[in-house]
Amino acid sequence: MMTREKFEQTKSELRSGLEQIADSVRKGELTKEQAKPFRKNIIDLWMMEELGYEHYKMYAGMQSQLVEMDLQTAQARQEALNLQIEMLQAELAEVRRHIEARRHLG
């Protein structure tokens, strides 16, 4: 869990980093296109400033829970796909047995 000190440090680092990126764009060292990946940092900083420590901590906790739920959903989907593959492989083996049996009879 993020402490208040870590929260303030992260916020300060985000602000400083974004200011450096903005300066690089103004100086022509970076294009706006090259700076686009940092937009998420702008949103993070805005959320931190708007929510403050306590509410941001709750927000981050909920985000973490959503990621965990997404991971669990993906794992369940993977298990379902693995079962489907096993079933199809069993069906294929059965079809092959029937084909082989017909070859021996005919």
Side-chain angles (χ1 to χ4, degrees):
M1 196 52 80
M2 185 181 283
T3 64
R4 185 175 296 277
E5 292 79 23
K6 180 67 177 164
F7 172 82
E8 293 300 332
Q9 177 185 350
T10 301
K11 199 167 75 167
S12 175
E13 289 170 357
L14 273 173
R15 186 177 298 111
S16 174
L18 289 169
E19 287 169 356
Q20 288 175 2
I21 291 166
D23 285 344
S24 293
V25 170
R26 280 191 288 273
K27 291 176 185 175
E29 299 167 349
L30 276 179
T31 66
K32 286 183 181 181
E33 194 65 32
Q34 290 170 316
K36 274 187 180 180
F38 299 99
R39 284 188 289 191
K40 183 189 177 313
N41 297 28
I42 295 169
I43 295 167
D44 287 342
L45 178 60
W46 179 80
M47 292 290 286
M48 292 175 102
E49 289 179 342
E50 286 298 311
L51 295 177
Y53 173 69
E54 290 299 326
H55 289 104
Y56 186 80
K57 190 169 73 170
M58 289 189 306
Y59 165 76
M62 287 186 285
Q63 288 296 103
S64 177
Q65 288 175 342
L66 288 173
V67 168
E68 180 63 31
M69 289 169 59
D70 286 346
L71 177 61
Q72 290 172 357
T73 301
Q75 288 170 337
R77 284 185 183 144
Q78 181 65 46
E79 288 173 22
L81 289 171
N82 288 342
L83 287 173
Q84 283 181 321
I85 289 169
E86 286 178 31
M87 290 170 50
L88 290 170
Q89 287 172 334
E91 283 183 47
L92 179 59
E94 186 66 24
V95 168
R96 286 183 175 156
R97 281 192 292 278
H98 283 296
I99 291 171
E100 224 19 71
R102 287 188 179 195
R103 280 188 188 151
H104 290 295
L105 294 174

